[in-house]
Amino acid sequence: MCRRWTPGPQSKGRRSVPPFALRPRVSTAWPGPMERPAQPEVCTLEDIVAAAPRGFRWFQLYVQPDRQLNKQLVQRVESLGFRALVITVDVPKLGNRRHDIRNQLNLKTNLLLKDLRSPQERNSMPYLQMSPIDSSFCWEDLSWFRTITQLPIILKGILTKEDAELAVKHNVQGIIVSNHGGRQLDDVPASVDALPEVVAAVKGKLEVYLDGGVRTGNDVLKALALGAKCVFLGRPVLWGLACKGEHGVGEVLNILKDEFHTSMALTGCRSVAEINQDLIQFSRL
Ligand SMILES: Cc1cc2nc3c(=O)[nH]c(=O)nc-3n(C[C@H](O)[C@H](O)[C@H](O)COP(=O)(O)O)c2cc1C
């Protein structure tokens, strides 16, 4: 389904495109360079498009309490050529992020956003603090999003078969199995542990992706074997960026790509299509 926008790894006879993408906050690039700067002074959506015009971009939205703001944003990204709307559904409120507190990382006060307002408003007051997320957002609201955009809708933050079934029922095009990198609620399952039940629940009716804890080519292989169409990277990209800037991001991606090809070769997979669940031996404990 949805061949048009999926960064799916097809490779009949050709060198396979690695099935992972960046997962910075606002957009994903496939397979282009990192599109989100590290500085708290965030660039606009237009800047991102200008910097990576051929990048495969999806837009990630934290639903805002102000519907008009959501509408403005979504329609702007659609007109800018973003290819899917990713709605994060696992942050009705911020989790208790002890590491962030310890590291004095406060995105709310430290990250100033330009993107949330119209260009006119931005000119008069160029930056805005992160606004609260709409904690009342629920399944029924998805139909409103469908009235304002043609973009495929992907839900990010699904971890259970019950929610996966609801996602199918509400006709979204994809879900990202994610525990938000363990940043929301302690003791939830690892994304990869939740993946099999989600894949089984959707019965192929929508595409399933995964993020969280992907650190090696083997991790990519395992996620694909368990039914993910592709995986996303969060912190590895930031680490590469912090270490060596844009070049570091490229290195992180190349390491993963090489490792993934090695893992494929050593498990006897000649193409991504040959990666399947038989590769996985579940623990007997
Ligand atoms: C510094 C930081 C900021 C993040 N901001 C967002 C965000 O604004 N929206 C979102 O949906 N996920 C956000 N995430 C979560 C990532 O999108 C992703 O789910 C997670 O980092 C994946 O795990 P990994 O870092 O182990 O690859 C953030 C993660 C980090 C580390």
Side-chain angles (χ1 to χ4, degrees):
M1 69 179 280
C2 300
R3 281 277 159 265
R4 196 164 51 80
W5 52 272
T6 299
Q10 315 305 319
S11 72
K12 271 258 168 333
R14 280 181 290 131
R15 188 169 166 78
S16 58
V17 178
F20 47 84
L22 309 184
R23 246 238 57 83
R25 218 194 125 256
V26 166
S27 60
T28 58
W30 180 262
M34 172 74 171
E35 296 183 352
R36 197 76 181 168
Q39 299 93 332
E41 198 176 283
V42 175
C43 63
T44 64
L45 295 163
E46 288 79 3
D47 295 337
I48 292 169
V49 175
R54 289 184 303 115
F56 190 104
R57 289 180 296 274
W58 289 3
F59 178 75
Q60 180 262 316
L61 179 74
Y62 276 141
V63 176
Q64 302 295 304
D66 176 353
R67 285 219 161 179
Q68 280 313 307
L69 197 54
N70 291 313
K71 186 172 171 187
Q72 259 182 30
L73 259 174
V74 171
Q75 294 186 339
R76 205 162 117 228
V77 294
E78 189 166 3
S79 68
L80 284 169
F82 283 67
R83 310 269 283 274
L85 172 64
V86 178
I87 302 180
T88 297
V89 294
D90 59 4
V91 190
K93 70 176 291 208
L94 273 197
N96 190 15
R97 301 179 176 183
R98 294 187 190 84
H99 289 293
D100 287 1
I101 297 167
R102 208 172 298 135
N103 294 326
Q104 297 177 13
L105 175 69
N106 184 343
L107 293 178
K108 199 165 174 196
T109 51
N110 294 342
L111 193 70
L112 299 173
L113 305 178
K114 277 180 177 176
D115 278 326
L116 295 182
R117 289 167 307 163
S118 66
Q120 294 84 338
E121 286 174 308
R122 259 187 271 140
N123 286 341
S124 58
M125 200 170 54
Y127 297 110
L128 188 76
Q129 280 195 353
M130 264 180 92
S131 43
I133 297 159
D134 184 359
S135 55
S136 70
F137 179 67
C138 64
W139 291 100
E140 281 63 42
D141 295 323
L142 286 171
S143 52
W144 178 77
F145 275 97
R146 233 169 258 110
T147 65
I148 62 160
T149 183
Q150 300 289 320
L151 291 175
I153 295 178
I154 316 290
L155 300 183
K156 171 174 181 279
I158 302 287
L159 280 175
T160 64
K161 69 172 172 12
E162 289 81 4
D163 280 345
E165 283 163 3
L166 281 165
V168 171
K169 187 171 155 209
H170 287 84
N171 296 318
V172 301
Q173 278 78 12
I175 53 189
I176 303 179
V177 176
S178 170
N179 66 9
H180 215 98
R183 292 163 60 74
Q184 273 298 90
L185 183 63
D186 289 346
D187 304 322
V188 293
S191 307
V192 73
D193 288 333
L195 182 62
E197 79 168 51
V198 170
V199 169
V202 305
K203 300 188 175 82
K205 292 183 185 139
L206 49 74
E207 294 197 339
V208 179
Y209 318 105
L210 170 134
D211 83 10
V214 176
R215 301 291 180 264
T216 66
N218 260 355
D219 292 338
V220 181
L221 187 87
K222 281 183 279 184
L224 263 58
L226 292 171
K229 181 86 178 169
C230 89
V231 301
F232 290 86
L233 306 173
R235 278 159 292 194
V237 171
L238 300 180
W239 295 328
L241 190 68
C243 184
K244 290 192 195 167
E246 184 181 335
H247 194 66
V249 177
E251 271 188 39
V252 166
L253 295 179
N254 283 335
I255 290 168
L256 267 174
K257 196 160 55 171
D258 288 347
E259 286 182 355
F260 176 62
H261 284 132
T262 303
S263 301
M264 281 180 68
L266 295 180
T267 52
C269 296
R270 289 166 297 180
S271 70
V272 169
E274 288 187 9
I275 300 172
N276 63 54
Q277 199 166 347
D278 295 343
L279 295 178
I280 307 290
Q281 188 169 27
F282 290 95
S283 160
R284 293 197 182 85
L285 288 179

